[in-house]
Amino acid sequence: MVRKNISLPEQAGKKRPLAVLLLVLILCMAALFTAFYDYFSLPPLQTVLSGDSLALPKAAFGKIDIRVNGLPQDGEAMPAGASAVGGITSPLYDGNSLLFEEAGDYKLDIRLGGIIPIGSMRVSVVSPVYVVPGGQAIGILLQTDGVTVVGYSPVINSQGRATYPAKEAGLQPGDFITAINGIPVSDDKQVAALIGEYGKNGQLISITFSREGEERQIRLKAEYCYDSKSWRIGLYVRDS
């Protein structure tokens, strides 16, 4: 029996066609994936308004077969606007986008050449909501004497505790402050300035206010708010 020794170059020469074929196959698969990447990465659910179009990616090569609710949308196998599953009107497909004219749920199956599945998506088509303004807008300007107490605002002291000097002195939301230490007030900036001045000087503050048409008066001291870095009495006020 005669044995034939195969040299290393001969073995490499036999393996080379297989390696080339494998490389070509890998390149073809990579090109196919790249060409249809947009279809592979379609979102599972898309919401559009009725009457709007849904644009689809363009394939680099090959015929794309679009099926909606199991029915083809190539413009030849089924006339545009034909009835689909459940009586929902089929969308109109122009080769680039689908036009949905009727609200409903649609299932898109996308195949290459009608055989190889490359994507699927559910499309929820909703009817647009319109808001129609109506009636007649009016504005009301309330002229008040002084400033109106509209709420309480905490004064944060050095211990981090919230205090309400004006509330503890008896002021209530709805009261109209007309004067501070005998000085008539008409806007919130003036009130803040007077309280800051008297508070800084440690003076007692006399507040004249009106409640249900009756004029009243209280006395209190402003406290320093470590949160806002200002002297306050713990009120929200608003002028006319």
Side-chain angles (χ1 to χ4, degrees):
M1 181 173 64
V2 179
R3 294 182 178 180
K4 183 180 179 180
N5 294 326
I6 301 176
S7 62
L8 291 177
E10 289 178 330
Q11 292 178 350
K14 288 185 177 182
K15 292 181 178 180
R16 188 174 298 161
L18 181 61
V20 172
L21 180 61
L22 183 61
L23 179 61
V24 171
L25 181 61
I26 293 175
L27 291 176
C28 289
M29 292 295 293
L32 182 66
F33 180 83
T34 303
F36 297 101
Y37 173 79
D38 290 336
Y39 282 102
F40 293 143
S41 58
L42 284 174
L45 174 65
Q46 184 78 25
T47 302
V48 298
L49 295 176
S50 58
D52 284 353
S53 296
L54 175 64
L56 296 174
K58 293 183 179 179
F61 58 87
K63 182 178 180 297
I64 297 298
D65 180 33
I66 305 291
R67 291 180 175 268
V68 179
N69 293 345
L71 299 177
Q73 299 292 311
D74 55 12
E76 297 177 358
M78 186 180 76
S83 179
V85 177
I88 299 177
T89 301
S90 174
L92 304 178
Y93 181 56
D94 61 4
N96 296 315
S97 61
L98 287 164
L99 174 62
F100 294 91
E101 295 183 328
E102 185 176 344
D105 287 330
Y106 300 81
K107 185 178 183 297
L108 269 64
D109 292 309
I110 304 165
R111 297 175 180 268
L112 175 61
I115 301 174
I116 305 174
I118 60 173
S120 65
M121 179 172 54
R122 188 167 70 88
V123 180
S124 177
V125 183
V126 296
S127 300
V129 177
Y130 298 97
V131 177
V132 180
Q136 182 177 359
I138 61 172
I140 300 175
L141 176 63
L142 297 178
Q143 295 289 348
T144 61
D145 294 329
V147 296
T148 307
V149 177
V150 295
Y152 299 118
S153 175
V155 178
I156 307 302
N157 60 21
S158 58
Q159 287 78 37
R161 188 171 61 89
T163 62
Y164 300 86
K167 179 181 179 181
E168 294 170 2
L171 274 174
Q172 300 177 6
D175 292 344
F176 297 102
I177 298 176
T178 56
I180 295 179
N181 282 2
I183 301 174
V185 293
S186 58
D187 61 70
D188 50 1
K189 293 181 180 180
Q190 183 186 12
V191 171
L194 289 173
I195 290 174
E197 179 183 349
Y198 295 132
K200 184 177 181 180
N201 295 329
Q203 293 179 254
L204 193 66
I205 300 174
S206 174
I207 296 180
T208 303
F209 66 99
S210 173
R211 179 184 299 167
E212 297 178 352
E214 180 184 351
E215 186 175 274
R216 304 186 183 188
Q217 194 174 65
I218 59 170
R219 293 177 180 272
L220 53 82
K221 272 194 173 184
E223 295 185 16
Y224 185 76
C225 178
Y226 284 81
D227 189 21
S228 63
K229 310 299 181 186
S230 61
W231 291 91
R232 301 171 53 195
I233 61 174
L235 287 181
Y236 281 123
V237 296
R238 180 179 302 162
D239 52 37
S240 298

